[in-house]
């Protein structure tokens, strides 16, 4: 039997100990949370040994994700609301029951088949937060197609590179996306992306008509509504092997090329399903609102899969926190009696900035649990969230995890774990974190270092799409037989974990992971740029801002401004990579071996000009003085 929700810390500790000491037995029982068309005989077959690295969960079992999210609930919950949709404009909203969603998903499963999409084919989704996005995701899982969602804020070039890498057969988009009262031309972006080389794998584009705005259809284009009108509604869920690919999600690495993180079917769904119920203390009448976009892993696991597989109502919000006014989140909470509200520190910080006035127009009395994800939450923002938004009644679960981890790994259990503002507290069941110093030596008890995870867990990524070697190198080569997170962490004397941020060249801007090397590569492509170095610096709202040091080519006579370079980057990556500061300079601090000393650039960008640490290996220390003067 799967374990019951821990009501006390001693119950949590006991179950946790068992999950670590007897992982096979523990996960064998937890696997029963899902419906299997063919039961598994073994839960866990994992080894991180370099010569025998493999991660397999429930490997001889078969199941289907859409069956678990929909069909499984039809006997009891067919009329229950599955999704409440709130449009960008407050006058637009609708909802769909589990029964209706099942029907729409089945129809779209048939649409996919009619376009020749078969099990294992990749389908790229470039969509706003609309109900159809959920329909399309679930329909892919129903027939065994592998979805790869590209966040709508990415540029046509970034979309094209993800299409190229995944060799997708189909792209699904909408004519526009509406955010903050503005229309974003998603379909035009797709057209531009498909005009770029390497995108010929795409045979069709399905467009959802989000608004009546005029849309020009190309040769490969088909309207979603036309296809759906002609589709049959009977589409049996394809039995999938637990280790069959479920989705690819591209995320930033630290080497300039986005990584296609690959998740598989059984382990991922189990992890999303179990963490959701236990961490958020979900009840049968909960209304769960996660504000993340489906283009990110949080949207996958806690807008769609974890929520629907538990038969819980999920809220999908198309808009932004401050449109039409700063009270929008609170209005939506009251409108739908939201019980669980899960958001990002950057949104909390921007609302703190807007003053407390906006909290007066709502009661938020329906709230029971608050959650935070995406970046470290500072204690002051945590307290504001707890005291003002939740009126001191609702626990705040600060959940630490990553695209690669599939679901939450370090977190409080709502209503059970004693909280410390700013700490993600303790590991979830089956998760064995450790803190190691730069020599790989494990730090026992209190101390800081790099965070690694020792044991395998069901929801973890299995590979990087078509690049398993990079997968092994990135996550399993830094520390012996452990998963390397790339995050720094402090464990206090009470055993609480405090995530301190990335220790690699990835920066976290408004909760979005950005690879500094990717921005540098784009900047270096500019005809006037000779070299660049991009680092993060502390930013009041975004958590980290993007600081670009740029050396211009003296031979090129064209005048290039910071704004030109910003536009250049936004066009090639997307708005999320907007440069906050551009620092034109003549030299970068380099070691004798020619490596840029990023540690120094980070400190200078953060306004720290004194304690720069060891600069004895610098080729030319005068560069530092020049940079300091320029900053002043
Ligand atoms: O640095 C950590 C930070 O976000 C990174 C993962 O980013 P991504 O893969 O985009 O997934 C974000 C949503 C899960 C981590 O390496 N991060 C995420 N959650 C927290 C966090 N840092 C501190 N506290 C958190 N709760």
């Amino acid at each position: 039997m799967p374990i019951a929700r821990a009501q006390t810390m001693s119950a949590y500790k006991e179950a946790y100990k068992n999950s670590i000491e007897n992982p096979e037995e523990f996960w064998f029982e937890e696997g029963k949370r899902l419906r299997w068309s063919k039961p598994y005989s073994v839960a866990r077959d994992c080894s991180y040994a370099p010569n025998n690295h493999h991660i397999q969960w429930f490997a001889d079992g078969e199941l289907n994700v859409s069956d678990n999210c929909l069909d499984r609930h039809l006997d009891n919950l067919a009329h229950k609301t599955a999704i409440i949709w709130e449009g960008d404009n407050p006058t637009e909203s609708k909802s769909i029951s589990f029964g209706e969603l099942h029907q729409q998903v089945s129809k779209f499963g048939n649409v996919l088949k009619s376009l020749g999409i078969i099990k294992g084919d990749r389908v790229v989704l470039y969509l706003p937060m609309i109900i159809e996005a959920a329909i399309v995701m679930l329909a892919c899982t129903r027939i065994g197609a592998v979805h790869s969602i590209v966040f709508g804020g990415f540029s046509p070039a970034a979309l094209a590179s993800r299409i190229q890498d995944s060799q997708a057969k189909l792209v699904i988009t909408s004519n526009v996306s509406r955010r903050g009262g503005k229309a974003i031309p998603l379909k035009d972006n797709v057209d531009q992306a498909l005009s770029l080389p390497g995108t010929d794998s795409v045979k069709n584009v399905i467009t959802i008509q989000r608004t009546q705005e005029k849309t020009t259809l190309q040769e490969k284009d088909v309207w979603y509504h036309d296809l759906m009108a002609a589709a049959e509604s009977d589409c049996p869920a394809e039995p999938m092997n637990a280790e069959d690919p479920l989705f690819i999600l591209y995320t930033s690495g630290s080497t300039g090329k986005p990584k296609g993180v690959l998740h598989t079917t059984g382990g991922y769904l189990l992890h999303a399903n179990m963490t959701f119920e236990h961490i958020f203390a979900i009840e049968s009448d909960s209304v769960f609102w996660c504000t993340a976009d489906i283009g990110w892993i949080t949207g996958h696991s806690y807008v769609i899969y974890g929520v629907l597989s538990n038969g819980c109502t999920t809220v999908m919000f198309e808009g932004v926190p401050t449109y039409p006014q700063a009270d929008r989140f609170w209005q939506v909470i009251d409108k739908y009696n939201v019980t669980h509200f899960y958001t990002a520190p950057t949104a909390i910080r921007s609302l703190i900035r807007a003053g407390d006035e906006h909290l007066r127009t709502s009661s938020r009395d329906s709230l029971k649990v608050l959650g935070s994800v995406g970046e470290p939450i500072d204690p002051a923002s945590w307290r504001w969230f707890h005291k003002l938004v939740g009126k001191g009644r609702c626990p705040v679960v600060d959940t630490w995890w990553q695209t690669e981890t599939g679901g939450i790994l370090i977190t409080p259990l709502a209503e059970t774990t004693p909280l410390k503002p700013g700490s993600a507290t303790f590991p979830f069941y089956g998760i064995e974190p450790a803190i190691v110093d730069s020599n790989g030596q494990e730090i026992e008890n209190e101390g800081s270092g790099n965070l690694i995870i020792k044991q395998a867990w069901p929801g973890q990524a299995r590979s990087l799409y078509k690049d398993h070697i990079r997968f092994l190198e990135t996550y399993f080569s830094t520390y012996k037989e452990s998963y390397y997170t790339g995050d720094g962490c402090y464990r206090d004397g009470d055993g609480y974990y405090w995530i301190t941020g990335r220790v690699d060249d990835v920066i976290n801007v408004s909760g979005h992971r950005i690879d500094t090397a990717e921005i540098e590569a784009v900047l270096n492509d500019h005809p006037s740029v000779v070299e660049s170095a991009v680092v993060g610096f502390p930013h009041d709202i975004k958590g980290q801002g993007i600081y670009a040091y740029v050396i211009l080519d003296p031979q090129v006579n064209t005048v290039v401004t910071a704004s030109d370079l910003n536009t250049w980057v936004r066009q090639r990556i997307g708005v999320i990579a907007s440069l906050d500061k551009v620092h034109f300079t003549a030299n970068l601090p380099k070691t004798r071996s020619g490596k840029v000393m990023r540690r120094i650039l980070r400190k200078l960008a953060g306004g720290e000009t004194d304690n720069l640490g060891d600069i004895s290996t610098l080729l030319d220390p005068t560069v530092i003085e020049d940079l300091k003067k320029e900053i002043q």
Side-chain angles (χ1 to χ4, degrees):
M1 280 254 295
I3 56 167
R5 261 198 343 247
Q7 306 293 332
T8 60
M9 274 312 268
S10 60
Y12 155 74
K13 282 183 185 157
E14 196 187 322
Y16 175 73
K17 189 164 174 277
N18 178 42
S19 72
I20 298 300
E21 289 174 358
N22 305 301
E24 169 64 30
E25 291 79 0
F26 179 84
W27 289 114
F28 193 92
E29 292 307 307
E30 289 310 314
K32 296 176 186 166
R33 297 179 61 90
L34 303 180
R35 179 156 90 171
W36 298 82
S37 50
K38 176 171 173 258
Y40 48 87
S41 62
V42 177
R44 181 181 188 274
D45 176 13
C46 304
S47 157
Y48 287 168
N51 53 359
N52 181 28
H53 191 286
H54 62 274
I55 306 164
Q56 290 208 315
W57 289 90
F58 314 105
D60 60 350
E62 287 180 1
L63 76 169
N64 181 282
V65 168
S66 86
D67 173 71
N68 272 279
C69 291
L70 301 170
D71 309 47
R72 190 182 173 196
H73 308 308
L74 292 185
D75 284 348
N76 301 318
L77 306 176
H79 301 293
K80 179 175 175 174
T81 301
I83 303 176
I84 296 170
W85 176 76
E86 168 82 3
D88 182 50
N89 186 319
T91 59
E92 277 192 293
S93 61
K94 58 185 163 187
S95 63
I96 185 166
S97 68
F98 278 95
E100 290 160 342
L101 185 59
H102 173 261
Q103 197 195 35
Q104 298 294 309
V105 168
S106 301
K107 279 183 144 197
F108 198 73
N110 285 328
V111 166
L112 291 171
K113 286 184 192 167
S114 73
L115 293 178
I117 302 297
I118 56 167
K119 186 170 165 175
D121 282 347
R122 275 81 52 218
V123 177
V124 163
L125 277 51
Y126 187 62
L127 285 168
M129 290 290 283
I130 52 179
I131 289 181
E132 289 81 353
I135 294 173
V136 162
M137 287 168 81
L138 288 161
C140 285
T141 73
R142 195 164 189 85
I143 68 157
V146 179
H147 63 65
S148 173
I149 309 186
V150 179
F151 174 59
F154 278 114
S155 66
L159 172 63
S161 81
R162 284 151 177 80
I163 292 171
Q164 279 159 15
D165 195 75
S166 63
Q167 287 295 293
K169 256 193 189 171
L170 175 68
V171 175
I172 304 174
T173 190
S174 68
N175 58 342
V176 295
S177 157
R178 295 205 71 86
R179 281 171 73 78
K182 295 193 200 97
I184 298 142
L186 291 188
K187 174 64 172 54
D188 290 352
N189 288 354
V190 170
D191 290 346
Q192 280 183 50
L194 294 184
S195 70
L196 296 171
T199 53
D200 293 347
S201 60
V202 175
K203 301 291 172 249
N204 288 108
V205 176
I206 299 181
T207 304
I208 297 160
Q209 192 161 23
R210 167 66 189 93
T211 64
Q212 295 309 315
E213 257 140 287
K214 195 170 171 295
T215 308
T216 323
L217 291 197
Q218 314 289 335
E219 202 186 316
K220 293 178 179 178
D221 294 352
V222 224
W223 281 114
Y224 176 88
H225 52 259
D226 287 343
L227 294 165
M228 285 294 265
E232 297 280 336
S233 55
D234 181 31
C235 178
E238 177 79 22
M240 301 293 290
N241 182 272
E243 284 299 336
D244 277 337
L246 178 64
F247 64 83
I248 303 168
L249 183 56
Y250 285 87
T251 186
S252 293
S254 51
T255 58
K257 186 174 171 273
K259 302 182 288 200
V261 174
L262 178 79
H263 282 285
T264 56
T265 305
Y268 168 81
L269 186 65
L270 174 64
H271 191 144
N273 175 283
M274 182 184 182
T275 48
F276 178 73
E277 195 228 314
H278 281 259
I279 294 165
F280 295 102
I282 295 299
E283 304 292 346
S284 57
D285 58 354
S286 297
V287 176
F288 191 87
W289 182 16
C290 165
T291 63
D293 191 282
I294 47 146
W296 309 112
I297 190 70
T298 312
H300 285 59
S301 303
Y302 302 107
V303 176
I304 306 292
Y305 296 122
V307 195
L308 297 178
S309 66
N310 275 286
C312 180
T313 303
T314 187
V315 177
M316 279 181 91
F317 175 48
E318 188 187 33
V320 298
T322 46
Y323 178 80
Q325 266 113 33
D327 65 353
R328 186 69 193 277
F329 275 174
W330 325 133
Q331 291 296 335
V332 175
I333 288 170
D334 278 7
K335 186 169 173 186
Y336 301 116
N337 288 319
V338 170
T339 54
H340 292 68
F341 180 63
Y342 188 33
T343 195
T346 185
I348 297 170
R349 286 191 301 266
S350 70
L351 290 168
I352 293 175
R353 266 290 178 86
D356 296 343
E357 204 51 36
H358 53 86
L359 286 157
R360 306 230 159 89
T361 55
S362 57
S363 82
R364 304 175 308 287
D365 284 344
S366 55
L367 285 176
K368 291 187 175 159
V369 176
L370 299 171
S372 167
V373 59
E375 49 177 321
I377 178 163
D378 57 285
S381 302
W382 192 104
R383 289 198 181 88
W384 183 89
F385 196 33
H386 180 254
K387 195 168 155 214
L388 280 98
V389 176
K391 299 182 176 171
R393 293 182 302 105
C394 311
V396 175
V397 289
D398 174 2
T399 62
W400 174 84
W401 58 298
Q402 307 177 303
T403 304
E404 295 86 342
T405 71
I408 299 167
L409 297 198
I410 301 183
T411 176
L413 301 178
E415 292 162 12
T416 303
T417 309
L419 304 170
K420 292 193 189 189
S423 167
T425 75
F426 299 110
F428 189 69
Y429 303 116
I431 306 303
E432 195 182 4
I435 299 179
V436 287
D437 65 19
S438 48
N439 301 319
Q441 209 57 38
E442 195 171 327
I443 295 165
E444 305 288 341
N445 308 320
E446 187 179 352
S448 301
N450 291 348
L451 179 67
I452 60 168
I453 311 290
K454 286 170 65 181
Q455 291 202 21
W457 68 99
Q460 75 188 119
R462 299 298 192 266
S463 194
L464 295 178
Y465 188 64
K466 286 204 259 167
D467 205 348
H468 196 64
I469 293 188
R470 188 177 176 200
F471 176 70
L472 298 178
E473 274 168 5
T474 310
Y475 305 108
F476 298 98
S477 68
T478 318
Y479 295 103
K480 199 168 152 253
E481 301 201 12
S482 296
Y483 169 83
Y484 174 50
T485 65
D487 275 327
C489 184
Y490 163 67
R491 187 173 45 221
D492 72 14
D494 299 326
Y496 280 66
Y497 288 80
W498 302 72
I499 310 297
T500 48
R502 301 290 303 195
V503 291
D504 51 13
D505 289 330
V506 173
I507 53 180
N508 195 326
V509 182
S510 301
H512 301 147
R513 245 163 89 165
I514 303 202
D515 174 7
T516 51
E518 192 180 352
I519 305 179
E520 286 165 11
V522 166
L523 281 170
N524 297 347
D525 262 355
H526 190 284
S528 300
V529 173
V530 178
E531 195 178 357
S532 64
V534 172
V535 295
F537 73 101
H539 188 287
D540 283 353
I541 306 276
K542 298 180 178 181
Q544 282 191 296
I546 303 178
Y547 193 113
Y549 295 86
V550 176
I551 303 177
L552 290 177
D553 186 346
Q555 318 284 336
V556 179
N557 286 327
T558 344
V559 179
V560 175
T561 64
S563 147
D564 296 334
L565 292 182
N566 194 21
T567 310
W568 176 268
V569 172
R570 284 165 62 115
Q571 279 169 352
R572 280 152 187 83
I573 302 179
V575 280
I576 59 163
S578 299
L579 307 178
D580 294 286
K581 286 192 190 164
V582 178
H583 178 153
F584 292 108
T585 188
N587 279 301
L588 291 171
K590 287 188 180 164
T591 60
R592 287 187 201 98
S593 59
K595 213 169 167 273
V596 174
M597 274 184 116
R598 311 176 63 84
R599 169 173 64 78
I600 292 177
L601 293 178
R602 272 196 287 270
K603 285 200 168 170
L604 290 173
E608 208 176 318
T609 45
D610 295 331
N611 302 313
L612 295 180
D614 180 15
I615 54 168
S616 60
T617 55
L618 272 183
L619 179 66
D620 176 7
T622 63
V623 172
I624 303 281
E625 292 313 311
D626 293 342
L627 286 169
K628 279 190 195 170
K629 276 190 217 133
E630 286 158 9
I631 286 171
Q632 273 152 17

